[in-house]
Structure formats: structure tokens, C-alpha cells
Amino acid sequence: MSPAEVQSRQEEPSSGVTAEGGATLAEIARAAGVSAPTVSKVLNGRADVAPATRSRVEELLRRHGYRRRRGGMQQSQLLDLVFHELESAWAMEVIRGVENVARDEGLSLVLSESAGRLSPGQTWVDGVLARRPAGVILVLSDLDAAQRAQLTSRDIPFVVMDPAGDPGGVVPSIGATNWQGGLAATRHLVELGHSRIGVIGGPASMMCSRARIDGYRAALETAGLTVDPGLIKRGNFHHESGYAIGLELLRLPDRPTAIFTGNDLQALGVYEAARELGLRIPEDLSVVGFDDLPLARWVGPPLTTVRQPLTEMAEAAARLVLDLGRDRRPAATRVELATSLVVRSSTAPPSR
């Protein structure tokens, strides 16, 4: 027997042992036309398996509903944290929250980025299977059905924080009251006397962006104001899109007197656009952001924004994934933390 086969047999229960899904490794191996150690290599994310063989084994594992026996495999002292993008102050608030829990639990953090994709690639999945972390937290990302099945079969728990799409009832998730936040931001502007209110949301593919714009619409409709489609724009949650779309809105013949942006970074872009056009904030233009990043307090004038409790959301996601890994039964696996409006100096009654 080769050293690799010896290691594989040590890492997995005997090939005749039935896993939680009902099928044994030996049965899966026979159906795939491979040896039990090869199936074990696939389960452990080993690289020395041909892609076609790996795909065939994974399909059989999914079909049989295979799940490794809880406690049958030593997990590493790691938490995997996956972002779709990692280059913003927003991400730092999330990292801080997960790190708070990891430090208390004696765990280390592994950071990954999916380069803007809403699902990480298979290379990342293979790395997770090899690392065997205590849990995986995906931020503004999700797993496709095959990737979920792979983690589930290895008994690696995962939680989605601020899911990009609807995670469905079976995927644990932590979010925020985005609709309520959009409503509160727009209602604040309406109560100041604004009726021409623009909005710069995020990508249409992101559920949080759609919810914030829906809250904006609801506030206008409730106040009896017309929802002008020409004032509803979508950016990408970056400063540059706030600047470009801000210029577009502020150059309209009947420009908005207030703009609600889907995040603080886009609000800073609107600040830049207003300065370029000689408009003063809040005298000529009111601006409301979303997130309440530390920089919202530092800009001039300090930004009125909707506080999204990012650090607390990240802490909740980390605790939830660890509870799932320890076979505890949390009170809920879909949680939304409350947002709140923070009024500063970037909003005022319209001057015209």
C-alpha cells in the first residue's frame, strides 16, 4: 500500500463504515470505478486526483447525500472569511468583527477574495476542503449548489453575511434591515422638505441594494410624492460611481436637491461631484449615505448616514457558524440586525 493510501485510510473512517447519508465510501468508490482511498482524497481536497475522477466522485457524493460523521475528522483552528471584494473600509469593519470572535475562541483567520464574483471558484473550495476550517463565512457572496454540497458532505458549516441574493431557507445568513434603512434615509429628506430626491443604489444583482431602493420608493409613495425613474440610478458601491452618477444627476435641468446613496463611499463621490459643480453641502444639496463607516464622521461636512452594524453582524455570523459546527441549535439561522439613521451635517432643508 502506498504512503498516500495509508494517509487516506487514517484520515477517513473505514471504507465499510456508513456515513450520515447512508452510503459507505466503498459503495461510492465502486460506483465511481475508483478505490476507497481515491474517494478519501476527494473528500479531503487532495490535489492528486484527475479532474474527471474528482467530478465523478463529487456527483456520487451529492447523489447519495454523503455526509462525514460528525467528530470523525479533526478540524483545524481556522475560520475562513470570504469577500467578493476586499479593498474598502467596509471590509475592515467586517474583519474586525470576525477577528473579535476568533480571538476569543483561540482561532486564526484565513482571508480570501473572489475577485468580484458572487461565488468563489473551485480552487477556493478545494483549499477549504484541505484546510478543514471550523467554519466558513461568506460576505456578499454565496456558494452554488455543488459547492454547498461539497462543504456539507465534509461537515464544514458555512454562513452568508449580507447575502447578495436570496440565500433560501436552508442557508444560514446574517443581514441588516436594508429596506427599513432606505425608508428612514428618504423619509428624513422628505421631512426636511425635499421632493426632488435622487438615489444611487448598488448593483441590481445584490439583494441589499434592491431593498434600499425599495425603501426609498416606499418613503416617497407614502409621502404622496412622485417616484421619478430618471432619479433612480445604480452604481457599483465604489467612490467612482458615486462621482460619475452624481455629476449626471446634478447636471439635470431640474436637478435633485437631495441624493441618497446606497453606501458611504458613493456618498463621498457625490461630495466630489458637488464640489466640481460649485454646489455646497448641505446649503445647495443634501446627501445621505449608508453604512456609517468611520470616514463618515471625518469628512466635511460630516455625513448623515444609515448605520449598518457591520462589526456586530460579523460577530453574529462568526458565532453562528461556530454554533453550527458544534452541533448547537441556534434560536434562528436567518437574522437581520437593525439599521438606524445617524443625522449629521450633510442634510438641511432645500434652499430652493
Side-chain angles (χ1 to χ4, degrees), residues 41-340:
K41 288 180 182 180
V42 173
L43 281 168
N44 295 317
R46 295 272 295 277
D48 51 340
V49 179
T53 301
R54 181 184 302 277
S55 178
R56 189 163 68 250
V57 171
E58 289 287 0
E59 174 57 31
L60 286 164
L61 290 170
R62 285 194 296 273
R63 190 184 306 167
H64 286 277
Y66 176 89
R67 182 164 184 171
R68 174 179 281 145
R69 285 186 183 278
R70 191 172 297 276
M73 198 70 178
Q74 184 68 35
Q75 288 181 321
S76 62
Q77 296 298 298
L78 300 172
L79 270 180
D80 260 72
L81 179 58
V82 188
F83 290 88
H84 86 298
E85 290 179 338
L86 195 49
E87 51 177 35
S88 75
W90 189 95
M92 294 307 300
E93 296 300 300
V94 175
I95 293 171
R96 181 177 293 113
V98 176
E99 176 62 25
N100 288 343
V101 176
R103 184 173 54 250
D104 290 344
E105 297 286 342
L107 302 173
S108 298
L109 211 55
V110 177
L111 291 180
S112 304
E113 183 189 49
S114 58
R117 299 182 308 239
L118 295 184
S119 293
Q122 187 58 40
T123 301
W124 171 83
V125 175
D126 292 340
V128 169
L129 302 186
R131 285 192 294 274
R132 297 193 296 274
V136 173
I137 301 167
L138 300 113
V139 183
L140 275 175
S141 301
D142 201 356
L143 302 171
D144 61 35
Q147 292 170 335
R148 293 178 191 175
Q150 284 181 282
L151 266 61
T152 299
S153 67
R154 278 72 166 186
D155 204 27
I156 298 174
F158 57 91
V159 168
V160 179
M161 177 184 154
D162 209 3
D166 184 358
V170 298
V171 178
S173 65
I174 302 291
T177 54
N178 290 293
W179 183 90
Q180 184 63 42
L183 179 79
T186 311
R187 182 175 285 166
H188 169 66
L189 294 170
V190 170
E191 290 173 350
L192 287 173
H194 295 275
S195 57
R196 290 283 291 169
I197 303 171
V199 62
I200 305 175
S205 60
M206 291 189 177
M207 187 168 62
C208 63
S209 171
R210 298 197 302 271
R212 292 168 196 176
I213 291 179
D214 286 346
Y216 156 89
R217 291 177 185 274
L220 293 180
E221 291 169 352
T222 301
L225 297 174
T226 301
V227 178
D228 183 350
L231 297 182
I232 300 174
K233 305 293 182 181
R234 294 190 181 276
N236 61 9
F237 283 151
H238 290 288
H239 171 278
E240 293 78 10
S241 70
Y243 167 71
I245 299 172
L247 284 177
E248 180 184 345
L249 288 171
L250 296 176
R251 283 173 173 159
L252 291 173
D254 186 14
R255 67 168 179 83
T257 60
I259 296 177
F260 164 47
T261 66
N263 72 340
D264 291 346
L265 295 180
Q266 290 186 147
L268 297 190
V270 172
Y271 270 44
E272 184 179 349
R275 281 195 301 270
E276 186 170 314
L277 297 176
L279 298 175
R280 300 164 300 164
I281 298 173
E283 292 85 356
D284 303 316
L285 175 71
S286 288
V287 181
V288 180
F290 201 108
D291 283 336
D292 195 25
L293 299 176
L295 54 81
R297 302 189 297 272
W298 304 335
V299 297
L303 177 66
T304 295
T305 186
V306 176
R307 181 176 186 272
Q308 181 175 208
L310 293 171
T311 301
E312 293 91 333
M313 289 164 64
E315 290 173 345
R319 292 192 186 99
L320 176 58
V321 81
L322 291 176
D323 282 347
L324 293 171
R326 291 162 181 166
D327 209 19
R328 296 174 183 167
R329 293 178 178 267
T333 57
R334 292 197 67 175
V335 178
E336 286 191 345
L337 274 64
T339 54
S340 58

